[in-house]
Every structure is written in structure tokens, then in C-alpha cells.
Amino acid sequence: MTKAKLGTFEELLQLSEETMRPIVTALRETVFQVDQNACEVVRLGDRAATYGVGPRKMIDGYTYILPHKKWVNLGFYQGVDLADPEGLLEGTGARMRHVKIRSVDDANQPAVQA
């Protein structure tokens, strides 16, 4: 296990900026709409929630929600393999990519939902 302390989604919300909490919640709802059986693991040390098929972040996880002060990253561990016709994905890592979400309206955009 990583050094990151495990916690609950509510604890992650409490660590998040108040203005970002509705966005974090909307993204979580989207993840569970896409995959109602997703395994949610909140790592308070990482200040993020990972979703996937099991508890291991980089192996079992396929997406994560990482709140910042002015936006929330919706990240993808294997993002380089995703189709991105709208050009939303950012990042320069070997595999990971993310989308910066700045509002609930952004979170609900069809391209983000897809």
C-alpha cells in the first residue's frame, strides 16, 4: 500500500475548496453512471479519489478525481489510449492524461461525459 492515508469521499470533499465540491460530486456521479460497479478508493494523502476494478491505483484504476483550488482534474491512467475528438485531454506523461473541469456545467458537457 502507498503512504497515502485512505479515507472517505466525504473527507475528500472536506479537503477540497468549497467552490470545487459541487464539481467533485458531479464528476463522481458521472463515474458511477458510466460504471455503477466501480471500486472507489479515496487517498487523502494524494487528495484524490481513484475509480476502477480494484483498489490498486495505477493497475486497477482507470480514472481519478483530483480537486485543485480553481479546477478539478478528471484524470485517466491510460489516457493516451482514449479517443479525444474535442481535444480536451492534457498532459505529457507516458500514459496519464487529464481534463481540467472548472464548473458543474463543464462536468456535464457531452464530451466530458463520453
Side-chain angles (χ1 to χ4, degrees):
M1 182 173 348
T2 69
K3 64 181 177 176
K5 178 185 172 199
L6 298 180
T8 66
F9 185 78
E10 286 301 318
E11 290 173 307
L12 177 62
L13 283 179
Q14 292 304 309
L15 291 174
S16 304
E17 296 290 325
E18 190 170 343
T19 56
M20 296 296 105
R21 292 175 189 170
I23 301 168
V24 172
T25 301
L27 291 172
R28 181 184 194 228
E29 290 170 3
T30 295
V31 170
F32 283 122
Q33 285 173 1
V34 171
D35 182 1
Q36 62 187 348
N37 296 314
C39 175
E40 177 180 70
V41 179
V42 176
R43 291 180 174 80
L44 298 176
D46 292 345
R47 297 177 64 95
T50 295
Y51 301 88
V53 297
R56 298 173 298 175
K57 179 168 66 172
M58 299 298 288
I59 296 171
D60 295 337
Y62 50 77
T63 194
Y64 63 89
I65 297 171
L66 174 62
H68 291 275
K69 288 187 182 231
K70 296 188 178 186
W71 69 83
V72 179
N73 279 359
L74 175 61
F76 303 93
Y77 292 107
Q78 303 299 320
V80 296
D81 296 328
L82 294 175
D84 185 22
E86 301 290 326
L88 299 177
L89 294 172
E90 300 180 34
T92 59
R95 306 285 318 149
M96 295 173 59
R97 297 291 182 271
H98 66 274
V99 179
K100 286 185 174 111
I101 307 295
R102 292 181 167 84
S103 70
V104 172
D105 285 343
D106 286 353
N108 292 325
Q109 290 294 317
V112 172
Q113 298 281 321

